[in-house]
Each structure stands twice: as C-alpha cells, then as structure tokens.
Amino acid sequence: MTLGDKLKLLRTKKGMTQEALAEKLNVSRSAIAKWESNNGIPEITNLKQISQVLNVSLDELLDNKICIGESEHKEENILSEYRGYYCDIDLVGWNDGVYSVLVLGEDSDFLFYQKTDKNKKTYGLLGKKYITSVESHSKSDILKAQSNINRDYFCNKHVFIEIAHKKGFFTGFFDFRNDDYLNVVVSAFENSKILLNLGREIDIDNVTKIEELEF
C-alpha cells in the first residue's frame, strides 16, 4: 500500500478534505493532491506532522508492505466526502478534468457527476484511478433527486468517451485515440469491459471520462 493511498485513506477516514489537511500542515492543497497521487513525497518535517495529525506512526506511513485499515474503509467510498458538493476535479497528466460539477456519488470504478450549462443538465462519470485532486465549492440541496445516477444510466445513450492519454509530452499531446469515441452508444458494463454498439469494447481501466451528449 503506497504512501499516497495511506494518506488519502486516513484523511478521508477522519472526514477531512484536502484543504483542511493542507491548512493543518501549513502547505498548499495541491501539495496534498500531489502526495496522494504518488507524484511526490513529503519532506521529513511534513511526515512528522502527518503522523501526528492522522494518528499513525512513521513506520506505518513509509513501509509499503503495511496496509492500513483496509477492512474498515472500502476504496469505493474514498470520495464520499464530496458527494453533494459542486467541485473542480483534476485528472492525471493530459487528461481533461471537469469543473463546477455536482458530485452525485461513486462506485468501485467511477465517480458520477452532473454538469449544468444554460439550464441544461447532463451527466457523466470519471475513472477514479485518474483523479488527482478534488476542490469543493458550495453544497447543493438538490442531491436527493439525482441519487439514482449510476453506470447503468449511461447504457443505450449517445455518449463521448475519453481514454487515458499515454504519458509523456509528445505521446500525451498528440494522442488522438479519443477521436474513435466522440459519439458512441454504451450497450452494457461488464466486470472489466464496457461494451459499445457495433460490437466494440473498451477496458474499464482505460476510461477517464464518459459524458452523455446533448441533442
């Protein structure tokens, strides 16, 4: 279990946002997001503060062989603190995030959101493994009416699908694989695959975003 996974797990278990933890450590929220996505390691002074704030030993934090609280806290609830809030969500690398969207819920693979543009509501999902940071804004009072949105909602609908860009400047910038999925129909979700019209399929692990198309 990586240091980033432990930080995210322990922070969420305490009901703390990235902003709240950053304030206690006197660092930026982006630093917390960077550590939790395993794109950086805190300095030793920060590690000592983290161990105190999150009530965990340095050995438990730094030893990847040690897993923390996995039986008590399921991964599918790791983003539950943001449910019902309007958020800006960044994705790893060249992948496009979403901004000012209402977080509706999540399952083991995806976070579900609602986007409003000129009073038109559309729904989408993000691959949780590609989320690097979530910044919450105001809380919504309309969540109860949208609590039934899940992956099945996107079946038999026209959607666009974004596939994870490859790493690196040139491969990320000139990666045109999304062009094949600008307007497709999802037939079904299976354990590790998304089945599309015309007999096509995509690995769930490769999906960063699915959003319904407006007509």
Side-chain angles (χ1 to χ4, degrees):
M1 191 175 191
T2 67
L3 173 61
D5 292 335
K6 292 174 185 177
L7 289 178
K8 185 184 292 186
L9 184 67
L10 291 166
R11 174 182 62 78
T12 307
K13 188 175 180 181
K14 283 187 172 291
M16 298 175 65
T17 63
Q18 289 181 337
E19 290 85 352
L21 180 57
E23 185 176 348
K24 286 183 176 294
L25 301 179
N26 196 28
V27 299
S28 66
R29 181 198 58 79
S30 61
I32 303 297
K34 185 177 180 180
W35 299 339
E36 290 187 353
S37 59
N38 294 305
N39 289 319
I41 300 175
E43 296 181 356
I44 186 62
T45 53
N46 294 131
L47 285 169
K48 290 179 178 178
Q49 289 179 293
I50 289 169
S51 69
Q52 294 173 353
V53 172
L54 299 181
N55 193 28
V56 62
S57 71
L58 286 175
D59 286 341
E60 288 177 302
L61 278 177
L62 298 175
D63 190 342
N64 287 349
K65 294 180 181 179
I66 298 176
C67 296
I68 296 177
E70 289 185 319
S71 62
E72 300 176 3
H73 193 96
K74 295 183 179 179
E75 175 67 18
E76 56 263 31
N77 294 322
I78 205 72
L79 295 168
S80 59
E81 66 190 271
Y82 298 105
R83 186 172 183 266
Y85 284 84
Y86 290 98
C87 297
D88 295 338
I89 305 174
D90 291 320
L91 302 181
V92 66
W94 288 94
N95 301 288
D96 296 328
V98 292
Y99 305 98
S100 297
V101 298
L102 175 61
V103 175
L104 302 176
E106 61 183 311
D107 61 19
S108 58
D109 298 304
F110 302 118
L111 178 143
F112 304 98
Y113 64 87
Q114 173 189 292
K115 182 175 72 174
T116 304
D117 184 20
K118 297 179 181 178
N119 296 320
K120 171 69 175 179
K121 293 181 175 61
T122 57
Y123 298 94
L125 59 79
L126 298 174
K128 288 169 59 175
K129 66 181 291 185
Y130 296 104
I131 295 174
T132 58
S133 68
V134 182
E135 182 177 358
S136 60
H137 302 300
S138 58
K139 189 172 184 178
S140 170
D141 58 359
I142 64 173
L143 182 62
K144 289 183 179 179
Q146 312 297 345
S147 60
N148 62 336
I149 300 297
N150 55 39
R151 64 177 67 187
D152 292 336
Y153 171 85
F154 300 92
C155 292
N156 301 314
K157 286 184 171 63
H158 287 268
V159 301
F160 70 83
I161 300 177
E162 294 184 3
I163 306 298
H165 285 304
K166 297 176 181 177
K167 294 182 179 179
F169 177 80
F170 289 106
T171 54
F173 191 75
F174 298 107
D175 193 343
F176 300 106
R177 290 177 296 169
N178 287 339
D179 292 351
D180 293 331
Y181 306 106
L182 296 179
N183 185 350
V184 295
V185 175
V186 174
S187 299
F189 288 82
E190 294 189 343
N191 289 335
S192 61
K193 302 281 186 181
I194 300 176
L195 306 183
L196 306 177
N197 57 334
L198 304 178
R200 294 182 293 172
E201 62 181 36
I202 304 177
D203 288 338
I204 282 179
D205 281 347
N206 292 333
V207 173
T208 62
K209 182 193 299 180
I210 297 178
E211 192 171 292
E212 64 179 331
L213 290 170
E214 300 181 31
F215 290 99

